[in-house]
mmCIF file of all heavy atoms in Angstrom:
data_model
loop_
_atom_site.group_PDB
_atom_site.id
_atom_site.type_symbol
_atom_site.label_atom_id
_atom_site.label_comp_id
_atom_site.label_asym_id
_atom_site.label_seq_id
_atom_site.Cartn_x
_atom_site.Cartn_y
_atom_site.Cartn_z
ATOM 1 N N LEU A 88 5.310 55.757 86.992
ATOM 2 C CA LEU A 88 5.625 55.969 85.577
ATOM 3 C C LEU A 88 6.953 56.700 85.413
ATOM 4 O O LEU A 88 7.126 57.528 84.515
ATOM 5 C CB LEU A 88 4.494 56.755 84.900
ATOM 6 C CG LEU A 88 3.100 56.109 84.935
ATOM 7 C CD1 LEU A 88 2.075 57.043 84.325
ATOM 8 C CD2 LEU A 88 3.109 54.766 84.244
ATOM 9 N N GLY A 89 7.897 56.415 86.314
ATOM 10 C CA GLY A 89 9.231 56.990 86.199
ATOM 11 C C GLY A 89 9.382 58.395 86.736
ATOM 12 O O GLY A 89 10.439 58.999 86.591
ATOM 13 N N ALA A 90 8.320 58.936 87.356
ATOM 14 C CA ALA A 90 8.377 60.310 87.865
ATOM 15 C C ALA A 90 8.033 60.311 89.349
ATOM 16 O O ALA A 90 7.130 59.595 89.788
ATOM 17 C CB ALA A 90 7.421 61.204 87.097
ATOM 18 N N GLN A 91 8.724 61.144 90.111
ATOM 19 C CA GLN A 91 8.487 61.254 91.548
ATOM 20 C C GLN A 91 7.675 62.525 91.803
ATOM 21 O O GLN A 91 8.212 63.595 92.056
ATOM 22 C CB GLN A 91 9.824 61.320 92.304
ATOM 23 C CG GLN A 91 9.671 61.288 93.826
ATOM 24 C CD GLN A 91 10.998 61.085 94.521
ATOM 25 O OE1 GLN A 91 11.773 60.239 94.124
ATOM 26 N NE2 GLN A 91 11.255 61.856 95.558
ATOM 27 N N ARG A 92 6.345 62.368 91.760
ATOM 28 C CA ARG A 92 5.458 63.528 91.868
ATOM 29 C C ARG A 92 4.329 63.319 92.867
ATOM 30 O O ARG A 92 3.471 64.184 93.009
ATOM 31 C CB ARG A 92 4.861 63.854 90.494
ATOM 32 C CG ARG A 92 5.905 64.135 89.427
ATOM 33 C CD ARG A 92 5.306 64.193 88.040
ATOM 34 N NE ARG A 92 6.349 64.304 87.020
ATOM 35 C CZ ARG A 92 6.149 64.188 85.720
ATOM 36 N NH1 ARG A 92 4.926 63.968 85.278
ATOM 37 N NH2 ARG A 92 7.149 64.294 84.860
ATOM 38 N N TRP A 93 4.301 62.183 93.557
ATOM 39 C CA TRP A 93 3.201 61.851 94.446
ATOM 40 C C TRP A 93 3.684 61.704 95.880
ATOM 41 O O TRP A 93 4.843 61.371 96.137
ATOM 42 C CB TRP A 93 2.527 60.552 94.011
ATOM 43 C CG TRP A 93 1.738 60.669 92.747
ATOM 44 C CD1 TRP A 93 0.393 60.847 92.622
ATOM 45 C CD2 TRP A 93 2.244 60.611 91.402
ATOM 46 N NE1 TRP A 93 0.040 60.914 91.297
ATOM 47 C CE2 TRP A 93 1.153 60.769 90.522
ATOM 48 C CE3 TRP A 93 3.527 60.450 90.852
ATOM 49 C CZ2 TRP A 93 1.286 60.762 89.148
ATOM 50 C CZ3 TRP A 93 3.664 60.452 89.474
ATOM 51 C CH2 TRP A 93 2.553 60.599 88.638
ATOM 52 N N VAL A 94 2.765 61.927 96.819
ATOM 53 C CA VAL A 94 3.024 61.711 98.240
ATOM 54 C C VAL A 94 1.951 60.771 98.764
ATOM 55 O O VAL A 94 0.752 61.022 98.592
ATOM 56 C CB VAL A 94 2.998 63.038 99.035
ATOM 57 C CG1 VAL A 94 3.128 62.770 100.534
ATOM 58 C CG2 VAL A 94 4.117 63.958 98.559
ATOM 59 N N ASP A 95 2.367 59.675 99.400
ATOM 60 C CA ASP A 95 1.415 58.711 99.953
ATOM 61 C C ASP A 95 0.723 59.285 101.177
ATOM 62 O O ASP A 95 1.343 59.955 102.014
ATOM 63 C CB ASP A 95 2.136 57.419 100.338
ATOM 64 C CG ASP A 95 2.605 56.641 99.119
ATOM 65 O OD1 ASP A 95 1.959 56.756 98.066
ATOM 66 O OD2 ASP A 95 3.638 55.938 99.223
ATOM 67 N N ILE A 96 -0.583 59.006 101.286
ATOM 68 C CA ILE A 96 -1.347 59.394 102.464
ATOM 69 C C ILE A 96 -1.165 58.309 103.524
ATOM 70 O O ILE A 96 -1.439 57.146 103.254
ATOM 71 C CB ILE A 96 -2.836 59.566 102.126
ATOM 72 C CG1 ILE A 96 -3.005 60.641 101.039
ATOM 73 C CG2 ILE A 96 -3.629 59.937 103.371
ATOM 74 C CD1 ILE A 96 -4.430 60.815 100.577
ATOM 75 N N PRO A 97 -0.673 58.660 104.726
ATOM 76 C CA PRO A 97 -0.397 57.652 105.760
ATOM 77 C C PRO A 97 -1.620 56.804 106.098
ATOM 78 O O PRO A 97 -2.754 57.308 106.132
ATOM 79 C CB PRO A 97 0.038 58.503 106.964
ATOM 80 C CG PRO A 97 0.532 59.778 106.373
ATOM 81 C CD PRO A 97 -0.319 60.020 105.159
ATOM 82 N N PHE A 98 -1.382 55.505 106.275
ATOM 83 C CA PHE A 98 -2.391 54.536 106.717
ATOM 84 C C PHE A 98 -3.487 54.296 105.668
ATOM 85 O O PHE A 98 -4.556 53.795 105.983
ATOM 86 C CB PHE A 98 -3.048 54.980 108.036
ATOM 87 C CG PHE A 98 -2.061 55.355 109.101
ATOM 88 C CD1 PHE A 98 -1.939 56.686 109.486
ATOM 89 C CD2 PHE A 98 -1.239 54.407 109.695
ATOM 90 C CE1 PHE A 98 -1.026 57.047 110.457
ATOM 91 C CE2 PHE A 98 -0.327 54.759 110.671
ATOM 92 C CZ PHE A 98 -0.207 56.087 111.061
ATOM 93 N N THR A 99 -3.240 54.698 104.429
ATOM 94 C CA THR A 99 -4.183 54.431 103.346
ATOM 95 C C THR A 99 -3.408 53.939 102.127
ATOM 96 O O THR A 99 -2.180 53.969 102.099
ATOM 97 C CB THR A 99 -4.990 55.687 102.953
ATOM 98 O OG1 THR A 99 -4.114 56.624 102.303
ATOM 99 C CG2 THR A 99 -5.626 56.341 104.163
ATOM 100 N N SER A 100 -4.141 53.507 101.120
ATOM 101 C CA SER A 100 -3.517 53.066 99.866
ATOM 102 C C SER A 100 -3.531 54.162 98.815
ATOM 103 O O SER A 100 -3.196 53.915 97.658
ATOM 104 C CB SER A 100 -4.252 51.828 99.329
ATOM 105 O OG SER A 100 -5.618 52.125 99.090
#
Side-chain angles (χ1 to χ4, degrees):
L88 301 176
Q91 186 169 314
R92 302 169 187 170
W93 289 262
V94 174
D95 290 331
I96 301 176
F98 310 110
T99 70
S100 60

